[in-house]
Amino acid sequence: MKFVITPDISLDKNLHRITLRLIQRAIDSLENYDQNPNRSIHKARIAFKKIRTNLRLLRKELGDTRYKRFNHLFRDCGQMLCHLRDDTVRAKTLQKVVDRTDGMEKLELEFNTSGVHFSESKTVELVHNQLEQAKHAIKPWKFKRKGFKLVKHP
């Protein structure tokens, strides 16, 4: 889905609306994590990149402290999901090894892979909660500058 800046709405409201919808898109994709983990992570991480682009456009208006706080939040959420993706691939690879192994080695390998699903759900839950908090923190944003002065940099 494309996000369009509509001419009948001011630029600040357009960017605010788009940012909130991107956050909601990331939340929605994580809520579908169990159905397709790889696609869910991919969609959420793309949304984070677009959110961070909007934050860069609004940096001057947000101020350094607020910009850095939210920029780091979305960067860190993306990194957590990236690590989760890596861990999921490792677990699947290990499971293939387990499936081809017999005896004591199989028991040891099964034990080593048992904690992966717990960390998956905790990571997704943590990122989901951070996105919900960010959405509520961003909703009341008001900007002093209007039009393209909002994104003009010296």
Side-chain angles (χ1 to χ4, degrees):
M1 179 193 322
K2 293 182 182 178
F3 291 101
V4 178
I5 294 178
T6 56
D8 55 328
I9 301 173
S10 66
L11 182 62
D12 60 316
K13 289 181 181 171
N14 270 297
L15 291 174
H16 190 244
R17 172 185 54 85
I18 291 168
T19 302
L20 288 171
R21 285 191 181 170
L22 285 166
I23 293 170
Q24 189 59 51
R25 178 185 282 178
I27 289 169
D28 293 344
S29 73
L30 292 178
E31 287 174 352
N32 295 322
Y33 180 81
D34 292 333
Q35 295 170 0
N36 190 340
N38 293 338
R39 184 166 170 79
S40 176
I41 289 173
H42 180 72
K43 286 177 111 178
R45 292 185 70 220
I46 286 174
F48 296 153
K49 290 176 184 182
K50 291 178 180 181
I51 292 165
R52 292 180 70 205
T53 299
N54 277 0
L55 292 174
R56 279 191 294 278
L57 286 171
L58 296 167
R59 184 177 190 160
K60 188 173 183 178
E61 185 68 20
L62 293 173
D64 277 344
T65 303
R66 195 162 44 160
Y67 164 77
K68 286 179 182 177
R69 186 176 77 209
F70 284 100
N71 187 50
H72 291 165
L73 171 91
F74 293 110
R75 179 202 63 199
D76 294 347
C77 285
Q79 287 175 347
M80 282 190 279
L81 293 179
C82 177
H83 294 304
L84 178 60
R85 169 79 180 110
D86 293 346
D87 291 345
T88 304
V89 170
R90 277 189 211 99
K92 285 182 180 179
T93 304
L94 252 161
Q95 188 60 50
K96 287 179 183 178
V97 173
V98 166
D99 293 342
R100 294 180 183 178
T101 308
D102 295 333
M104 193 56 141
E105 296 91 7
K106 183 171 185 148
L107 287 175
E108 288 177 27
L109 286 171
E110 285 177 344
F111 177 76
N112 288 334
T113 61
S114 64
V116 173
H117 298 293
F118 174 75
S119 90
E120 275 183 55
S121 63
K122 285 292 184 190
T123 301
V124 171
E125 182 181 336
L126 175 65
V127 172
H128 185 278
N129 290 342
Q130 288 182 340
L131 292 174
E132 287 288 353
Q133 290 174 6
K135 184 173 74 172
H136 292 295
I138 290 173
K139 271 185 183 177
W141 282 1
K142 301 283 185 227
F143 303 109
K144 294 176 187 168
R145 296 185 189 107
K146 302 295 178 196
F148 283 95
K149 290 179 183 175
L150 181 71
V151 294
K152 184 179 178 186
H153 294 280

